[in-house]
Amino acid sequence: MNSGALVILVIAAMLPSFVISLIAVGLVRRAAVRLGLMDKPGDRKVHTTPIPLGGGLGIWAGVVGAIAIGTVGVLAANSWPGFFTWLPHGLTQHLSGMAGKIVEIWGLIGCATVLMVLGLMDDRHGLAWQIRIGVEFAVAAFCVYWQGLHLTAFIELPWLTGWLSVIWIVALINSFNMLDNMDGLSGGVAASGAPKVSVKFLYSRDPAKKQTQFFFGAMLFGVVG
């Protein structure tokens, strides 16, 4: 991918998610007291005054909103290519491949939505850890076995790599939960790691299909926004 296409991709992915998140987090913050979404000081917390919860809802809204805009753009560009001749060839050559990934992407968004609702309910009511871990395992199993997103780990035992994938996803979810004892820490870690993974997707080819994973790279820049 040339530099011009990369700049357009980064701006197009990050700017909508940033604007939507900014608005959504502001709305959640205003309504936090009324909704009962306040994080009180505690032994594991570094803040000394109550802080509004629900920031994850704003992050979710930004990511989903940006992907929704991108989905509409990809479908429009594939339906009316003559209107998008101004786009760099580095982007247009991926449009058909991106369109083919839309169903898979929205499957992942559905899984992320379940986790967002789970976290919001936990913030509001405090759920038992058995419920949280059960839902997390169900979502991870859907991603691995229904979506076919699993590690190979250089092990020729699909049943083992499938279970390792599920455990890895659940462990990653909870690692971010455990990080969340300082305001902005989980978001900062995600914003730091996402660009590195995105560049890997954009410049490395999938061993099976011999193609760069353009749509996934763009989605991660949406996470950064």
Side-chain angles (χ1 to χ4, degrees):
M1 177 185 296
N2 60 49
S3 58
L6 181 60
V7 170
I8 290 176
L9 172 67
V10 171
I11 293 174
M14 288 181 61
L15 186 60
S17 64
F18 172 76
V19 172
I20 294 170
S21 292
L22 189 67
I23 295 170
V25 169
L27 293 174
V28 172
R29 187 183 181 200
R30 279 186 172 183
V33 174
R34 179 166 49 86
L35 297 174
L37 292 171
M38 296 298 293
D39 188 17
K40 297 179 180 179
D43 294 338
R44 292 183 57 250
K45 313 293 177 63
V46 297
H47 56 272
T48 57
T49 58
I51 291 179
L53 294 167
L57 180 60
I59 295 173
W60 172 87
V63 172
V64 174
I67 291 175
I69 293 170
T71 299
V72 172
V74 168
L75 294 176
N78 277 285
S79 299
W80 302 289
F83 289 98
F84 293 87
T85 54
W86 53 273
L87 287 173
H89 179 66
L91 290 178
T92 57
Q93 66 178 339
H94 292 282
L95 288 175
S96 60
M98 291 168 72
K101 289 288 186 182
I102 286 175
V103 173
E104 188 174 346
I105 290 292
W106 282 99
L108 289 176
I109 291 298
C111 292
T113 301
V114 171
L115 294 176
M116 182 276 294
V117 172
L118 179 71
L120 200 61
M121 291 177 63
D122 187 41
D123 284 344
R124 180 64 180 84
H125 302 290
L127 299 178
W129 69 266
Q130 295 92 335
I131 295 175
R132 298 199 308 270
I133 203 76
V135 174
E136 290 165 5
F137 266 103
V139 168
F142 176 85
C143 290
V144 171
Y145 294 107
W146 186 265
Q147 299 279 81
L149 302 174
H150 59 84
L151 303 166
T152 60
F154 306 103
I155 303 173
E156 295 183 3
L157 294 172
W159 65 269
L160 178 59
T161 55
W163 269 107
L164 288 174
S165 301
V166 171
I167 292 171
W168 180 78
I169 292 171
V170 173
L172 192 61
I173 292 168
N174 283 283
S175 68
F176 274 91
N177 284 341
M178 293 175 185
L179 272 176
D180 199 23
N181 69 334
M182 184 183 297
D183 198 24
L185 184 57
S186 286
V189 171
S192 174
K196 301 177 181 67
V197 181
S198 179
V199 169
K200 179 70 174 176
F201 277 135
L202 294 173
Y203 286 97
S204 299
R205 296 184 179 275
D206 182 350
K209 299 180 180 179
K210 307 299 181 184
Q211 296 177 342
T212 56
Q213 300 180 68
F214 190 86
F215 210 169
F216 289 106
M219 184 172 66
L220 284 168
F221 274 116
V223 172
V224 177

